[in-house]
Amino acid sequence: MDVTLIVLRVIHIVSGIAWVGAGALVVLYIRPTLFALGPDAEKVVNELFVRRKLPVYFAVVSTLTVLAGALLYWRASGLQWVFVTRPTGLGLTIGAVAGLVAWPIAILALPRAFAGVGEVGAEMKAAGGPPTPELIGRLRAAQARVTR
């Protein structure tokens, strides 16, 4: 029994579930809630991203998933091209590429996009009164960045 292999698999699977689950929570529940709250979303964004450090969570679980996955891929393939030409190797390669594409989004793009919504929400709140068309346009643009 190879303990290293078991540990890498557990890390990869558990952190991958945590990453995908948190991503689903953000996309299915947090994002729509922020959009519905409008200027009041600033409080939620500050709580999640500043106080509770959600970007740090995404950075940790996504990095653990990618690192453990890379080590597992290396152990399985020996970095030989023939590995990719087999069905199992092709499936693992597609998964590896998908993870490597999603990883920088999890640690760079998503936190910046939500921070933009929070900043515009704070400006709307500070303005005290109905938001100007310019602020509404900026909020919609920030929300569109989150959606992308």
Side-chain angles (χ1 to χ4, degrees):
M1 176 166 70
D2 187 353
V3 176
T4 305
L5 184 63
I6 293 170
V7 169
L8 285 173
R9 284 181 177 170
V10 168
I11 291 171
H12 183 67
I13 291 167
V14 170
S15 60
I17 290 169
W19 183 12
V20 171
L25 180 69
V26 167
V27 169
L28 298 174
Y29 293 99
I30 294 174
R31 184 182 66 86
T33 301
L34 294 178
F35 291 177
L37 290 174
D40 293 330
E42 178 253 340
K43 292 177 187 176
V44 177
V45 169
N46 280 338
E47 180 68 21
L48 287 173
F49 287 87
V50 176
R51 187 164 175 267
R52 303 226 180 241
K53 311 261 189 263
L54 188 61
V56 173
Y57 171 84
F58 273 107
V60 169
V61 296
S62 64
T63 300
L64 283 173
T65 303
V66 169
L67 289 177
L71 290 171
L72 286 167
Y73 188 89
W74 175 62
R75 286 177 59 113
S77 71
L79 300 179
Q80 300 294 319
W81 177 252
V82 70
F83 179 76
V84 178
T85 62
R86 296 192 175 127
T88 301
L90 181 60
L92 292 175
T93 302
I94 290 169
V97 170
L100 290 173
V101 168
W103 184 46
I105 293 169
I107 62 175
L108 299 173
L110 192 58
R112 287 184 189 152
F114 274 108
V117 171
E119 289 169 9
V120 176
E123 286 181 43
M124 288 178 151
K125 185 178 177 184
T132 64
E134 186 262 336
L135 279 175
I136 292 172
R138 286 183 46 214
L139 179 63
R140 287 194 178 130
Q143 290 172 338
R145 281 192 296 279
V146 170
T147 301
R148 263 183 285 145

